[in-house]
Amino acid sequence: QVHLVESGGGLVQAGGSLRLSCTASGRTFSNSAMGWFRQAPGKERLFVGAINWSGTDTYYRDSVKGRFTISRDNAKNTVYLQMNSLKPEDTAVYYCARSTTPNLGGEYDYWGLGTQVTVSS
């Protein structure tokens, strides 16, 4: 069993920054790629980005490229989502998820409960 706990969400003005953290329990964290997703009210959950098991490869949706950065610290079982130049349209609940593979492109089998990010204009 894997438990994922997100933290770091909050209210920020447009143009500001937040760093989300996702801490995992279990020994398989360092063997798995990790992903970040978000879901705005009334909308479907969207892929934000992902990082491979070693942190050497990342992938982002177009709308966050250049603004968001995913990193990880396997010694701390934690993955991060650094969000800069935030926009009101980034407002959503952000979720981390564990991939079924060590590299990008896999499916996700464990999910956190999410953390709210609200960007005011």
Side-chain angles (χ1 to χ4, degrees):
Q1 190 75 7
V2 175
H3 288 96
L4 303 174
V5 179
E6 301 94 339
S7 62
L11 174 64
V12 64
Q13 289 189 331
S17 298
L18 281 175
R19 188 178 80 156
L20 306 185
S21 299
C22 171
T23 301
S25 65
R27 299 180 181 179
T28 60
F29 176 82
S30 60
N31 298 331
S32 303
M34 297 291 294
W36 284 97
F37 295 76
R38 67 186 183 188
Q39 186 168 21
K43 297 188 177 181
E44 63 180 359
R45 186 160 56 189
L46 298 176
F47 172 81
V48 173
I51 187 166
N52 72 336
W53 69 277
S54 63
T56 57
D57 195 12
T58 55
Y59 182 80
Y60 303 92
R61 68 180 299 108
D62 285 347
S63 61
V64 307
K65 284 181 181 177
R67 300 189 298 122
F68 290 12
T69 303
I70 299 174
S71 60
R72 66 189 297 162
D73 184 340
N74 286 344
K76 295 182 178 180
N77 274 16
T78 300
V79 61
Y80 304 97
L81 178 63
Q82 177 67 44
M83 304 184 295
N84 299 329
S85 301
L86 282 161
K87 305 175 181 180
E89 52 264 44
D90 294 319
T91 294
V93 177
Y94 283 73
Y95 301 88
C96 68
R98 191 195 76 162
S99 175
T100 57
T101 65
N103 294 309
L104 303 182
E107 297 183 349
Y108 295 87
D109 56 358
Y110 288 98
W111 297 78
L113 296 179
T115 186
Q116 176 70 47
V117 172
T118 302
V119 184
S120 63
S121 57

